Amino acid sequence: MTTAPTVRYERLGPVATVTMNRPEYRNAQNSAMTYALDDAFRRASADDDVKVVVLAGAGEHFSAGHDIGTPERDAHLPFPRRAGLWWDHTDKEGAEQRFARESEVYLGMCRRWRELPKPVIASVQGACVAGGLMLAWVCDVIVASEDAFFADPVVRMGIPGVEYFAHPWVMPPRLAKEFLFTGDRMGARRAYEIGMVNRLVPREELVSETRELAERMARMPRMGLALAKRAVNQAEDLQGLHAGLDAVFGLHHLAHAHNAETSADPLRGLDARAMKEA
């Protein structure tokens, strides 16, 4: 087990940077990282000196998604419930176990972080896959390096998409279908062209460009930023995002249950290596 923190937090002036710190596993998100991210976002929200938050990933990749196979996978362990009122999953079985856990650590946490009342900028390099997409999508702005790529390959598992199913809101519906039906990587250039990414920069300029943008935002009044963010989020919800997330979350768990009945396990027998090879 590593002794390094799964998430690093640092503040420089009005900008707090939250960095996922499992580079040896491409910043795969186990439960420990999820709750450490929540601690960091809570800290940034409570600090009056912080005006803008940057979410980054250490190493070559932003995040390869949920942890489905590292030595530090901890889905079986209990953690305090923060994002909702579903009960502990660790002494439950079957669909009840998975639905309770994912309601908390996946859908629930992403909704919680989307509502952080300060602008959050995702600084994305390398892989931004599946659960990594969820983290980037709850951010208000995405700055990507030219070598970044985006993918949601879970249809290979017979699952309609990741738990925070924002696909038809972050890209046009036909592109969302192609993205899901093929499982192909979308390069940063294409993501920028369709409006999923705000800014595209050379890899060596990612940190400085993200920092410059964060400092520019930080010159705006805190209350104005919070209200502007809430206004846009409310508009998305009026366009069906909130209800859509609930609807597809149900389909997501129907797929898990179907896999459990017809194959080796709820993931259709696939792990991270098998997904990569596919």
Side-chain angles (χ1 to χ4, degrees):
M1 299 288 285
T2 181
T3 58
T6 58
V7 171
R8 301 197 309 262
Y9 182 97
E10 57 185 335
R11 181 176 71 81
L12 183 59
V15 179
T17 300
V18 176
T19 305
M20 294 176 281
N21 190 37
R22 299 184 76 207
E24 68 275 28
Y25 302 121
R26 298 185 175 185
N27 295 316
Q29 305 154 32
N30 58 8
S31 293
M33 175 182 281
T34 299
Y35 285 92
L37 283 171
D38 192 64
D39 288 338
F41 287 137
R42 183 196 294 266
R43 178 178 176 183
S45 181
D47 187 345
D48 285 343
D49 291 328
V50 172
K51 299 285 290 294
V52 178
V53 181
V54 171
L55 176 62
E60 294 299 308
H61 301 281
F62 178 74
S63 176
H66 301 325
D67 186 344
I68 60 172
T70 82
E72 296 168 17
R73 190 182 186 207
D74 53 10
H76 62 293
L77 298 178
F79 286 83
R81 321 307 276 183
R82 297 182 188 174
L85 296 175
W86 274 91
W87 44 77
D88 179 68
H89 68 284
T90 56
D91 60 346
K92 311 301 186 298
E93 295 181 348
E96 181 182 12
Q97 178 189 71
R98 186 170 292 273
F99 195 93
R101 178 175 185 269
E102 294 192 357
S103 292
E104 166 75 8
V105 299
Y106 295 155
L107 181 60
M109 283 294 190
C110 282
R111 280 180 161 164
R112 176 178 169 88
W113 300 334
R114 175 179 177 255
E115 298 303 319
L116 195 157
K118 297 178 181 181
V120 183
I121 303 172
S123 183
V124 177
Q125 81 283 5
C128 183
V129 176
L133 283 175
M134 293 167 46
L135 294 184
W137 285 349
V138 300
C139 296
D140 305 295
V141 172
I142 300 175
V143 180
S145 64
E146 292 170 341
D147 69 338
F149 62 89
F150 305 84
D152 186 1
V154 301
V155 175
R156 294 194 181 103
M157 296 177 170
I159 298 171
V162 289
E163 294 84 355
Y164 185 86
F165 192 87
H167 306 63
W169 285 268
V170 300
M171 63 181 81
R174 285 191 177 85
L175 292 183
K177 289 176 181 177
E178 179 185 357
F179 187 66
L180 289 163
F181 294 170
T182 64
D184 289 346
R185 295 177 176 182
M186 178 183 290
R189 171 63 60 182
R190 181 60 169 157
Y192 174 76
E193 290 171 349
I194 67 171
M196 191 172 80
V197 165
N198 296 80
R199 297 192 179 188
L200 186 64
V201 300
R203 176 67 171 266
E204 63 272 15
E205 297 176 14
L206 179 62
V207 173
S208 61
E209 288 288 330
T210 304
R211 177 76 194 181
E212 186 278 330
L213 179 59
E215 290 178 343
R216 184 176 177 184
M217 291 179 181
R219 292 195 286 269
M220 302 292 274
R222 179 173 59 242
M223 189 62 170
L225 289 170
L227 293 179
K229 174 169 181 171
R230 187 166 180 82
V232 177
N233 282 2
Q234 287 177 332
E236 283 188 311
D237 289 339
L238 289 169
Q239 294 166 357
L241 174 59
H242 195 279
L245 291 172
D246 282 334
V248 180
F249 191 65
L251 297 177
H252 182 97
H253 282 275
L254 171 61
H256 279 313
H258 177 73
N259 285 345
E261 288 191 24
T262 61
S263 65
D265 58 43
L267 300 182
R268 203 164 165 263
L270 298 177
D271 57 16
R273 182 184 298 275
M275 290 287 284
K276 183 178 180 181
E277 290 174 352

